[in-house]
């Protein structure tokens, strides 16, 4: 089991800036099949959204941007080509919708 820590600092310039790190545990073996990659990506997004919603309870757009940044940084840190490709496809689909 690996742990990933993404610093979630400085997302908003305000008195309530986030001073905690996002932590996500995963196993490298969870990224073998397309189904596993999709499942892990969904878990990562859900965890990031929950973390950011807790940090910015009254700032929906800020929380959404926070989650996007965390997912992007986490995927980069994990460095798995399958997860990176899946994430890029998800982002492209969202932009086109």
């Amino acid at each position: 089991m690996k742990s990933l820590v993404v610093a979630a600092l400085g997302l908003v310039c305000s008195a309530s800036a986030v001073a905690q790190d996002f932590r996500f545990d995963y196993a490298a073996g969870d990224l073998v099949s397309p189904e596993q990659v999709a499942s892990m990506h969904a878990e990562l997004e859900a965890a990031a959204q929950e973390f950011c919603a807790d940090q910015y309870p009254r700032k929906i757009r800020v929380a959404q941007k926070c989650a996007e940044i965390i997912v992007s940084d986490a995927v980069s840190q994990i460095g798995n080509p399958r997860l990176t490709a899946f994430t890029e496809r998800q982002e492209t689909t969202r932009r086109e919708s």
Side-chain angles (χ1 to χ4, degrees):
M1 185 70 67
K2 294 183 179 184
S3 287
L4 169 72
V5 177
V6 177
L9 297 172
L11 296 173
V12 176
C13 296
S14 72
S16 63
V18 175
Q20 296 181 352
D21 289 337
F22 171 80
R23 182 179 204 90
F24 183 75
D25 296 320
Y26 69 98
D30 290 346
L31 295 167
V32 177
S33 73
E35 294 80 16
Q36 289 172 314
V37 169
S39 176
M40 185 175 146
H41 188 272
E43 290 173 22
L44 175 59
E45 276 193 328
Q49 289 169 355
E50 181 178 341
F51 174 84
C52 293
D54 288 346
Q55 300 304 309
Y56 302 103
R58 292 185 175 93
K59 299 178 179 178
I60 295 170
R61 289 187 185 147
V62 173
Q64 289 171 337
K65 186 64 176 174
C66 167
E68 289 172 14
I69 291 168
I70 286 177
V71 169
S72 177
D73 287 353
V75 169
S76 293
Q77 285 185 36
I78 291 169
N80 179 282
R82 290 181 184 103
L83 182 60
T84 300
F86 182 86
T87 302
E88 289 171 355
R89 284 192 304 273
Q90 292 290 99
E91 290 172 358
T92 300
T93 300
R94 284 186 188 134
R95 280 192 299 260
E96 292 174 352
S97 323

